[in-house]
Amino acid sequence: MDQDFTTPVENTWCPGCGNFGILNAFRKAIPKLEKQGINPKHLIISAGIGCHGKIFDYVPLSGMYSLHGRSIATVQGIKLGNPNLKVLTFAGDGDAFGEGISHMIFAAKRNADITVIVHNNGTYALTTGQFSPTSQKGFKGPSLPSGNIEEPLNPLSLMLEAGASFVARGYAGRIDHLANLMVEAVLHEGFSYIDVLQPSVVFTNTYKEFNASVEMIEKPAVRLEDAVQLAKRFDKIPIGVFYNVSKPIYHQELYGEWNPVVNRLSHAERIRSIALYLSDHLQE
Ligand SMILES: Cc1ncc(C[n+]2csc(CCOP(=O)(O)OP(=O)(O)O)c2C)c(N)n1
Ligand code: SF4
């Protein structure tokens, strides 16, 4: 693994795309996490399908490229298979809040120990600019030439209400700030969500608007109601950590002290224990 965390894969994003900011922030976050004791070999990534998903090819970490909307389920499975790993997925706004919305809600509700980074560009970019759940009202694209008539979904308040224990917003144009958010999110134990404002220079070129409106949050809200209120602020666009609390974590509640890696059963032992379980229950 080279020090810059690059790969030989050719980058095919459009010049100026906000995805570069997210990639560069992540490349900065990896060594910072290493300093905090997270071995990059134990940081496992996934991604959905879309322009965002190509990030999977541009960082040399182990993982599994997923299906559209299914990377949240994929990383939950990896975590349950080996709780010693840290798992993180990159998703698009269409990916996470269209096709994958139920996975998002239930992962937050059960406080699965995963990190989800959404490249929120307000459109289905790879498939050429259809409107997505976070598209602004009035957004025009090839599939919607007369403009979006729906209000956008607010991912931050949705995740907060669903039970997420860490919720943040970053901006692809503030790389160091975003890198630090990524570090905090990965270190957080429980469900951590970062919504990243990601301009698509082709379909939603929002750099000017974001540069003028982003405002750093000084510290997370203590009360959930205050975090939700902050997420619904529209005069400015707050970036930073909205909420960060400690809650029971899904795999720990499920497994207790048991660890499927340490306490691995052989195939024969597994068959024997299933047979024993069935015979006990069939007798009842
Ligand atoms: C189940 C399924 N539905 C639709 C598609 C087609 N598809 C591929 S990428 C994409 C849009 C991705 O949009 P988003 O998740 O917002 O990511 P972006 O391209 O904007 O980064 C769609 C609809 C698919 N691959 N799988
Ligand atoms: S279409 Fe948009 S999101 Fe996709 S690479 Fe180009 S600028 Fe980035």
Side-chain angles (χ1 to χ4, degrees):
M1 221 184 273
D2 72 43
Q3 284 306 301
D4 300 327
F5 301 103
T6 56
T7 67
V9 180
E10 184 196 353
N11 192 309
T12 55
W13 285 327
C14 309
C17 174
N19 282 324
F20 285 102
I22 301 176
L23 172 63
N24 289 331
F26 190 55
R27 285 187 175 142
K28 284 182 171 221
I30 299 169
K32 284 172 186 263
L33 282 163
E34 204 170 0
K35 280 196 189 128
Q36 300 278 341
I38 310 284
N39 182 337
K41 288 186 181 154
H42 299 157
L43 178 58
I44 308 301
I45 59 167
S46 185
I49 303 298
C51 292
H52 69 275
K54 298 178 186 179
I55 197 169
F56 186 87
D57 294 330
Y58 305 149
V59 280
L61 296 184
S62 298
M64 187 172 163
Y65 216 141
S66 189
L67 299 173
H68 193 43
R70 303 290 177 254
S71 71
I72 295 98
T74 303
V75 288
Q76 286 181 80
I78 296 171
K79 184 74 191 183
L80 288 179
N82 185 350
N84 300 338
L85 300 172
K86 280 281 180 187
V87 294
L88 177 152
T89 187
F90 300 94
D93 45 290
D95 201 50
F97 295 109
E99 286 78 354
I101 190 166
S102 58
H103 294 295
M104 290 294 286
I105 291 172
F106 286 101
K109 174 182 175 289
R110 62 173 71 105
N111 200 27
D113 191 13
I114 65 173
T115 297
V116 182
I117 297 177
V118 168
H119 301 217
N120 189 351
N121 56 17
T123 183
Y124 284 87
L126 187 73
T127 42
T128 68
Q130 294 81 11
F131 92 114
S132 84
T134 62
S135 292
Q136 292 302 315
K137 195 167 183 186
F139 165 78
K140 288 186 179 165
S143 70
L144 215 59
S146 53
N148 176 20
I149 53 172
E150 297 178 23
E151 290 292 341
L153 186 143
N154 185 326
L156 293 148
S157 55
L158 178 68
M159 287 295 93
L160 285 163
E161 294 285 12
S165 50
F166 180 102
V167 172
R169 184 193 274 137
Y171 171 34
R174 297 281 183 278
I175 293 174
D176 286 322
H177 179 254
L178 180 56
N180 290 336
L181 289 181
M182 289 173 172
V183 172
E184 259 195 89
V186 172
L187 292 176
H188 176 77
E189 302 215 327
F191 183 85
S192 51
Y193 173 68
I194 308 179
D195 192 76
V196 186
L197 304 168
Q198 182 247 309
S200 158
V201 286
V202 177
F203 302 112
T204 52
N205 198 345
T206 40
Y207 281 113
K208 244 192 203 162
E209 176 195 330
F210 292 153
N211 286 341
S213 309
V214 292
E215 191 174 89
M216 303 278 179
I217 297 170
E218 296 201 347
K219 53 180 188 296
V222 176
R223 295 183 334 138
L224 177 65
E225 297 80 346
D226 295 333
V228 171
Q229 205 177 358
L230 192 59
K232 291 185 174 172
R233 199 174 149 189
F234 293 115
D235 54 329
K236 285 280 172 187
I237 308 176
I239 57 171
V241 182
F242 285 63
Y243 197 55
N244 182 2
V245 291
S246 182
K247 280 185 174 184
I249 298 161
Y250 183 68
H251 71 271
Q252 290 174 355
E253 294 293 298
L254 184 71
Y255 289 155
E257 292 300 309
W258 188 75
N259 180 315
V261 178
V262 178
N263 311 106
R264 201 186 178 104
L265 296 179
S266 69
H267 181 68
E269 284 167 329
R270 208 172 320 133
I271 297 294
R272 246 196 323 273
S273 76
I274 292 170
L276 195 66
Y277 179 86
L278 289 178
S279 69
D280 282 355
H281 284 78
L282 288 177
Q283 281 166 12
E284 278 171 10

